[in-house]
Amino acid sequence: MNRIDLEGRVAVITGGARGIGYATAERMLASGAAVSLWDIDAERLQQAQTALAQPQRVAIRTVELTDEHAVDAAAQATRERFGKIDILVNNAGITGGNGPTWELDPAVWRRVLDVNLMGPVLTVRAIVPSMLANGYGRIVNIASVAGKEGNPNASHYSASKAGLIGLTKSLGKELATKNILVNCITPATANTEILTQMKPEHIEYMRSRIPMGRLGEPQETAAMICWLSSEDCSFTTASTFDISGGRTTY
Ligand SMILES: NC(=O)c1ccc[n+]([C@@H]2O[C@H](COP(=O)([O-])OP(=O)(O)OC[C@H]3O[C@@H](n4cnc5c(N)ncnc54)[C@H](O)[C@@H]3O)[C@@H](O)[C@H]2O)c1
């Protein structure tokens, strides 16, 4: 494993209690950063903090990411604990299950958009002003190959992730001269608990589209997130990075 230099950096990782967010926390800690994990699942957050075993460099915060007041309070608490926020990883997300568009419950549609798209808007609102004041920031949004291609039976999820790609492009341009770089990644299916939210036939559909013939591992995604969060990423912003075992063709 390469050591990506994140020495002295402070990162917020949403959805950090498990899966890709947790793997990102592990990799960032190994690279020298402090991390604040924001998640709705208090019990899993506690377990993650214990497992990471770095009490000086790991904070946890129970946050409902669609609640702007909770997000603002979490940002404030993180700055009080670590003095600043250098890195924001908008990773938390839900699938909303599977079904043809006309059969999906409008309330579920709205919830998927709220968590996957408004959540990152609210964290950006809460954190970017302090990044501007510090003259430094790296933001990584976790979208999905579904946002590029549109998975059948997941129109809400695909639309939310396409929206997140659009947000990345706009925000990256707004901040391009401020040393705050904004990028997103579009993973294909990775081996995490999110798969329990989907029908087995949908998972098989997604796996069958991956030329490498296997699912991704969260640690593989974490490596890309960490590089995009580092100073080595210096001339790339408003962009989208593929991590799909060859699935995406653009
Ligand atoms: N695993 C995959 O196949 C895959 C593929 C492409 C993209 N992604 C994206 O990667 C990201 C991470 O996925 P994962 O597989 O690690 O998922 P996961 O389900 O394992 O973890 C997601 C975390 O987000 C948290 N969360 C969900 N809603 C929240 C809310 N409203 N407020 C606070 N926390 C909330 C959950 O509690 C959970 O800990 C998601 O955005 C997902 O859409 C995953």
Side-chain angles (χ1 to χ4, degrees):
M1 182 175 83
N2 296 329
R3 189 179 187 283
I4 295 162
D5 186 6
L6 297 176
E7 202 64 49
R9 296 294 179 197
V10 177
V12 166
I13 306 170
T14 71
R18 55 165 72 73
I20 291 169
Y22 180 80
T24 302
E26 282 185 308
R27 184 79 191 238
M28 286 194 168
L29 284 169
S31 298
V35 297
S36 183
L37 311 181
W38 299 4
D39 203 290
I40 193 65
D41 189 335
E43 196 179 321
R44 288 294 293 266
L45 269 179
Q46 203 71 54
Q47 289 171 13
Q49 189 180 40
T50 304
L52 290 168
Q54 300 250 23
Q56 303 304 317
R57 290 197 286 138
V58 179
I60 55 172
R61 180 90 184 179
T62 308
V63 190
E64 166 53 67
L65 288 159
T66 62
D67 175 349
E68 61 212 72
H69 303 296
V71 170
D72 288 348
Q76 190 54 34
T78 304
R79 284 189 290 262
E80 281 167 15
R81 166 78 192 269
F82 292 122
K84 59 177 181 172
I85 298 170
D86 300 301
I87 298 163
L88 167 61
V89 182
N90 281 313
N91 164 76
I94 56 172
T95 70
N98 302 121
T101 304
W102 57 94
E103 288 179 9
L104 292 171
D105 182 343
V108 174
W109 242 95
R110 288 196 182 97
R111 177 69 183 162
V112 170
L113 289 179
D114 218 13
V115 174
N116 293 1
L117 186 52
M118 272 312 291
V121 173
L122 297 181
T123 57
V124 163
R125 264 185 89 254
I127 291 174
V128 164
S130 68
M131 286 180 168
L132 284 167
N134 293 340
Y136 185 86
R138 296 287 183 273
I139 299 174
V140 185
N141 296 323
I142 315 307
S144 168
V145 67
K148 284 182 159 184
E149 295 193 358
N151 279 341
N153 300 308
S155 59
H156 46 1
Y157 183 76
S158 302
S160 73
K161 295 301 189 180
L164 190 55
I165 294 170
L167 170 65
T168 303
K169 292 178 178 176
S170 296
L171 184 66
K173 292 184 183 85
E174 289 162 12
L175 294 169
T177 61
K178 306 295 183 190
N179 199 19
I180 302 172
L181 277 52
V182 188
N183 292 291
C184 73
I185 66 168
T186 52
T189 316
N191 200 7
T192 74
E193 290 173 48
I194 206 170
L195 301 185
T196 62
Q197 300 172 25
M198 294 178 250
K199 291 179 178 169
E201 57 267 32
H202 188 72
I203 297 169
E204 179 48 29
Y205 163 79
M206 295 189 300
R207 195 205 55 75
S208 72
R209 303 284 320 277
I210 300 175
M212 283 189 182
R214 66 169 175 90
L215 303 187
E217 293 302 325
Q219 291 77 13
E220 295 177 294
T221 312
M224 183 177 274
I225 294 169
C226 283
W227 184 80
L228 287 167
S229 299
S230 76
E231 279 181 75
D232 275 355
C233 177
S234 58
F235 196 50
T236 304
T237 196
S239 193
T240 303
F241 284 71
D242 172 61
I243 177 154
S244 71
R247 173 173 167 182
T248 333
T249 51
Y250 74 100

